[in-house]
Amino acid sequence: MNPIMRIAVIAAVFVVAVGIAFLAWRPTSNVAVPPSPSLAVPTIEGSWEVEFTREEMLAAGISDPAEDNNSNYGQFRLTLEGGRWALRQLAPVDRGGGVSTYTVDPAVAHLYAPRDGVTFDIPYVVTPTTLTFGPGGPVTFRVKSWTRATTELLPQSPTATGPLKFGIYDGPTLQVADLIAAVNADPTLTPEERTQVIDVFLGIRGHVTWRDSIELLEGQLFERQTIDGVTGLGSFGAYAFPTDQTLLYTEGGPGTRGTRFDLTISGETFTLHRTTPANDAADEFVTRTIFESGPFVLR
């Protein structure tokens, strides 16, 4: 190779080497790398469906014999939307349980069940297409994995309905001795009705204190009685405000006659006075005791 050609080859090799070194040592932030697509994190938000038989429900294990009824097996749709949830049974009968609230952690859902007055803390595993619950809630949730379905939006409801906020309102704590004395002093009650009110409707004989609470949530009213510190669900149904001074409570399904109350509000406190005639003297006494035992104060 002649001298001129040798110099040209050496120069070319030097240029290539310098270029490779530059690419190897320059900061990576200056290197154009196409971004990789990010995968969406699965969420429990949306609607889910499941279907199972009574036999499959029993095999999953029930904690209470009362769970063995046709409201706990069949076909169901669960919707979780922005902190509100609803469970609807599609078959063998079509019925819903109303709308309630929930919060969620990365592995545990906290579903408030107003009918039970508790929050179910239920572990879960979610994929883009399935939702599987662990123990911690009703048997309906954990028999099988739920399958994602077309999202069904929940009915919209404001944070307050009518003139009262959602929440639990506690009445004053009353002495059972005073209640029993009032029952025995009521001239409209027969001896049989007095026994029925004390032992069946109120269940207070042999106890010391009694208090009634009313929860208002998403158009649903839950009345609870606390006897000596133990709380149990009394009645529940739908409520509405025909006016800001009237509360209409309907216990039962469609076609049931509602009970109308005059409503008096002071800040976050309210009192009720029944204006709908009672069915009988015992119903009059119990309803007056429960709903007129206020004032009820927002907890």
Side-chain angles (χ1 to χ4, degrees), residues 4-216:
I4 295 177
M5 184 65 71
R6 185 181 298 113
I7 292 173
V9 170
I10 292 173
V13 171
F14 176 77
V15 170
V16 172
V18 170
I20 293 174
F22 174 76
L23 290 174
W25 289 101
R26 68 175 176 168
T28 55
S29 60
N30 293 330
V31 180
V33 178
S36 58
S38 60
L39 298 177
V41 177
T43 173
I44 68 171
E45 292 275 313
S47 294
W48 307 84
E49 291 189 1
V50 70
E51 185 172 6
F52 51 85
T53 65
R54 175 176 178 268
E55 290 70 26
E56 289 173 316
M57 178 196 72
L58 294 176
I62 59 176
S63 58
D64 185 337
E67 287 186 300
D68 187 7
N69 64 75
N70 69 358
S71 67
N72 285 322
Y73 56 84
Q75 184 181 7
F76 300 87
R77 178 183 296 121
L78 172 66
T79 298
L80 301 112
E81 176 196 315
R84 302 164 69 232
W85 74 277
L87 178 67
R88 186 172 192 87
Q89 185 176 32
L90 305 177
V93 294
D94 187 343
R95 55 188 161 196
V99 178
S100 188
T101 57
Y102 76 93
T103 59
V104 63
D105 297 330
V108 180
H110 310 281
L111 279 66
Y112 177 54
R115 188 174 299 184
D116 300 289
V118 299
T119 296
F120 296 118
D121 301 314
I122 314 177
Y124 71 90
V125 176
V126 64
T127 74
T129 57
T130 61
L131 175 60
T132 305
F133 288 108
V139 65
T140 306
F141 286 86
R142 55 184 167 78
V143 176
K144 282 184 175 180
S145 293
W146 298 70
T147 302
R148 188 176 291 280
T150 302
T151 298
E152 181 181 85
L153 297 179
L154 298 177
Q156 293 302 306
S157 181
T159 56
T161 178
L164 291 174
K165 296 178 180 179
F166 293 157
I168 299 175
Y169 294 79
D170 292 324
T173 298
L174 306 180
Q175 298 300 306
V176 167
D178 294 337
L179 286 176
I180 292 179
V183 173
N184 291 326
D186 192 323
T188 66
L189 295 171
T190 66
E192 292 78 11
E193 288 174 328
R194 292 190 179 104
T195 299
Q196 189 177 36
V197 168
I198 294 171
D199 295 328
V200 180
F201 293 151
L202 296 180
I204 55 177
R205 192 183 299 277
H207 295 283
V208 178
T209 60
W210 179 92
R211 186 190 71 196
D212 196 67
S213 300
I214 294 175
E215 179 172 12
L216 304 176

Side-chain angles (χ1 to χ4, degrees), residues 268-288:
E268 295 185 335
T269 299
F270 72 86
T271 57
L272 297 172
H273 174 67
R274 176 175 175 155
T275 58
T276 301
N279 295 324
D280 52 43
D283 175 54
E284 172 63 31
F285 187 94
V286 171
T287 303
R288 186 174 69 246

